[in-house]
Amino acid sequence: MLDTYIDLKDVRVTGYVSMGLIALVAAESIWGTINDWQGGSSSWSFLAIMLVVPAGVASIVWFRGVTHNAEAIALHGVRTVSQVWKASDPAQREVPFAQRVASPLIKPWQWAFLAMVLCDVFESLLLDTPFYVVFSTLSTLCAIGAGGLACFLVFRISIMQRRFAVPQRKRG
């Protein structure tokens, strides 16, 4: 029997950078909301928005790498996080791609992220009103949920793909 090796990009560093920046965005959002409760400046919210840009760039770089890897693993067109999960899950390696199951945490992460963005928009529109603090708080809660789920998904997909980057025995 021969060993097979799938040449994959190492996505751990971009994954760690993405997770770190996502965690910074969530932490800054918490700090900004605490500051809002105390009647402080809204500049903290602006800083959170500015941290979103490098977090987004790092996440896109990571996603391009895991998408490339997922296509190499599954030999199938992969474009979404759900498809990346399905392709990367070694437990589903023998299951036809169309029948594979993605993580049930992907949809909650997407909804929490969307809710965070919408709350940020309302927060910006209601800057000098009493509702500002309400949407600032809701945005922070969504940021904590979306950030935690995103970090879990990035970590898990990166780990699953590393399992394919080591020599494996071909089955006879």
Side-chain angles (χ1 to χ4, degrees), residues 16-27:
Y16 295 144
V17 169
S18 296
M19 289 185 294
L21 288 169
I22 289 167
L24 274 176
V25 169

Side-chain angles (χ1 to χ4, degrees), residues 74-89:
L75 303 174
H76 190 277
V78 176
R79 299 286 176 258
T80 67
V81 176
S82 294
Q83 291 172 335
V84 168
W85 184 282
K86 290 176 185 181
S88 304
D89 188 354

Side-chain angles (χ1 to χ4, degrees), residues 8-149:
L8 301 179
K9 294 181 179 183
D10 189 349
V11 294
R12 290 176 296 177
V13 171
T14 56
Y16 295 144
V17 169
S18 296
M19 289 185 294
L21 288 169
I22 289 167
L24 274 176
V25 169
E28 198 291 318
S29 184
I30 292 167
W31 180 255
T33 298
I34 291 170
N35 194 37
D36 290 341
W37 290 340
Q38 297 171 348
S41 166
S42 61
S43 62
W44 288 104
S45 296
F46 178 74
L47 181 58
I49 292 169
M50 294 308 297
L51 285 171
V52 167
V53 173
V57 170
S59 297
I60 289 169
V61 171
W62 172 82
F63 188 71
R64 287 190 61 176
V66 296
T67 301
H68 165 82
N69 291 349
E71 288 178 346
I73 294 166
L75 303 174
H76 190 277
V78 176
R79 299 286 176 258
T80 67
V81 176
S82 294
Q83 291 172 335
V84 168
W85 184 282
K86 290 176 185 181
S88 304
D89 188 354
Q92 299 185 69
R93 182 82 170 139
E94 302 302 321
V95 177
F97 192 82
Q99 295 173 4
R100 294 181 188 183
V101 179
S103 171
L105 299 177
I106 293 172
K107 288 290 183 199
W109 159 68
Q110 292 170 330
W111 284 109
F113 182 78
L114 179 61
M116 178 192 74
V117 170
L118 290 174
C119 286
D120 284 345
V121 168
F122 284 118
E123 178 183 348
S124 298
L125 293 173
L126 302 169
L127 193 56
D128 294 323
T129 71
F131 293 108
Y132 171 79
V133 175
V134 172
F135 283 99
S136 173
T137 303
L138 289 173
S139 173
T140 295
L141 293 173
C142 292
I144 293 167
L149 290 168

